[in-house]
Amino acid sequence: MGNCLHRVDSSPTDENLSNIAVGDDFSDEWNNSYGEADYDYTELEAAAPCHSYNLLDESSLPFYSLTSVLGILVSGAVLFALLRPLFHWQLCPGRPILAQLAVGSILFSIAVPILAPGLSGVHNTHLCQVTHLVWYSSAFAQALLIGCRACLGPKLGAGQVPGLTLWLTLGLWVVAVLLGLPITLASDISSGLGTLTFRWGILQFMHTAACFAIFVLLPLGLLGAKGLKKVLGRESCPWVDILCVWFIFWWPHGVLRVLDSLVRSNFLILSSCPAQQALDLLVHLAEALAILHCVATPLLLALFCHQTTRTCLPSLPLPARQSFHLDTLGSKS
């Protein structure tokens, strides 16, 4: 982060010059003039540049690699189970949306190791831009899909919108890609690494606004709508279930992205070095938490499908359950 600069060390040349003997007269004059001066070392230390500790540096490459592999494997297994119904998962309402959530998790998992700090010297500008586009567009798409499913929850359970779901989710993916364009245009190569330059202030503002709206305002809006409709006694309210836990992994990133942008734009001034270092550390922790979502998303999908099928299967009439078991055996064969 650009707020904290590396501490400046004293130059060896300056040390040598300070040790040169220039005569007793000059030494006496120096001692008489400055010997009793009172220096405020607290002010000098406060004015020194602040060193920022990078939590996600080259040593974090195993974290990126392991998270990527686990995300691809687990998300792929969940996607296979959703496309080829196993363990009664075909009873889950809104199964196309659930499958697209798994696809978004796979896309993010693929992008994770490409932006790992330990892989220096293997990037080019186009790869950096495409990776940032996949990184944020997949995250935006997953958030929008969860919000769409929460709003259409009762209708999805009743099977009222089978044709509308495909076109609606396709539109959400288009919106997610458009929201990821500012970060794509702001991506560049620095010392062999894909970084964010934000040379144009409008790109930084657009990306920060998108992150805040999707990762912060959207889950708060779902919770507020659910609480309001419960107070008013409405039966149809957004489905806020286990899948909404996904926002926990991105909510800190959305908040800290706003704070970081305010500091970079000098709208918010951090006067002390510990405050700057704390913000840098929180930004890195929020990024690590957001990366972990690609492993948590398929686990949340599997838990949701398990809970849903365990609830729905006993409620079906006996002929429907027999027909379901026959269809399942036929699909396995």
Side-chain angles (χ1 to χ4, degrees):
M1 186 176 134
N3 302 324
C4 299
L5 303 176
H6 293 282
R7 186 175 297 277
V8 179
D9 297 325
S10 59
S11 174
T13 305
D14 296 339
E15 295 179 357
N16 293 333
L17 289 176
S18 63
N19 294 329
I20 296 178
V22 293
D24 296 337
D25 296 336
F26 180 78
S27 177
D28 294 339
E29 183 179 357
W30 176 271
N31 293 331
N32 293 332
S33 301
Y34 302 99
E36 299 179 356
D38 185 14
Y39 293 103
D40 191 347
Y41 290 99
T42 304
E43 294 182 358
L44 292 177
E45 185 177 357
C50 182
H51 177 72
S52 177
Y53 298 98
N54 191 359
L55 182 64
L56 299 178
D57 55 7
E58 288 80 2
S59 62
S60 60
L61 179 59
F63 165 74
Y64 282 84
S65 303
L66 181 61
T67 305
S68 175
V69 172
L70 290 178
I72 293 175
L73 293 178
V74 182
S75 299
V78 172
L79 179 62
F80 176 80
L82 288 169
L83 295 180
R84 181 177 175 85
L86 303 174
F87 308 111
H88 319 309
W89 283 10
Q90 65 184 23
L91 294 177
C92 296
R95 193 155 50 95
I97 295 181
L98 302 179
Q100 292 180 60
L101 286 173
V103 171
S105 179
I106 293 175
L107 292 176
F108 187 91
S109 301
I110 295 175
V112 164
I114 301 178
L115 293 180
L119 297 179
S120 59
V122 298
H123 298 89
N124 57 60
T125 302
H126 298 295
L127 179 60
C128 178
Q129 292 177 342
V130 171
T131 305
H132 275 107
L133 178 64
V134 173
W135 179 292
Y136 275 99
S137 295
S138 60
F140 288 148
Q142 292 177 72
L144 292 174
L145 288 170
I146 294 175
C148 174
R149 182 193 163 275
C151 295
L152 296 178
K155 295 182 179 180
L156 290 175
Q160 298 177 6
V161 287
L164 180 62
T165 303
L166 177 61
W167 293 104
L168 184 59
T169 54
L170 180 61
L172 293 179
W173 278 97
V174 173
V175 172
V177 172
L178 293 177
L179 292 175
L181 286 180
I183 196 72
T184 303
L185 298 176
S187 302
D188 203 350
I189 295 297
S190 176
S191 301
L193 291 176
T195 59
L196 304 179
T197 59
F198 287 120
R199 290 167 292 184
W200 302 309
I202 186 63
L203 293 178
Q204 180 179 0
F205 173 78
M206 293 173 63
H207 177 66
T208 302
C211 290
F212 185 72
I214 300 299
F215 300 142
V216 179
L217 295 183
L218 178 58
L220 292 180
L222 293 176
L223 291 176
K226 183 178 180 63
L228 181 61
K229 288 195 173 184
K230 276 192 172 183
V231 171
L232 297 177
R234 303 285 184 86
E235 294 184 359
S236 60
C237 58
W239 279 3
V240 180
D241 49 24
I242 189 65
L243 292 181
C244 292
V245 176
W246 183 94
F247 287 104
I248 295 178
F249 293 88
W250 282 96
W251 198 88
H253 180 79
V255 173
L256 291 171
R257 172 64 67 180
V258 175
L259 292 178
D260 187 41
S261 298
L262 292 176
V263 173
R264 289 177 180 271
S265 304
N266 294 325
F267 286 104
L268 179 63
I269 305 299
L270 298 180
S271 57
S272 63
C273 181
Q276 296 178 6
Q277 292 176 339
L279 179 59
D280 290 341
L281 179 62
L282 290 176
V283 169
H284 294 152
L285 289 176
E287 182 178 350
L289 182 63
I291 292 173
L292 288 175
H293 96 274
C294 63
V295 179
T297 298
L299 299 179
L300 293 175
L301 289 172
L303 180 60
F304 168 77
C305 293
H306 174 70
Q307 292 178 347
T308 303
T309 53
R310 189 178 60 179
T311 304
C312 294
L313 191 59
S315 62
L316 293 176
L318 182 60
R321 274 185 285 177
Q322 292 177 349
S323 176
F324 169 77
H325 287 296
L326 292 176
D327 294 340
T328 304
L329 292 175
S331 64
K332 291 181 180 180
S333 62

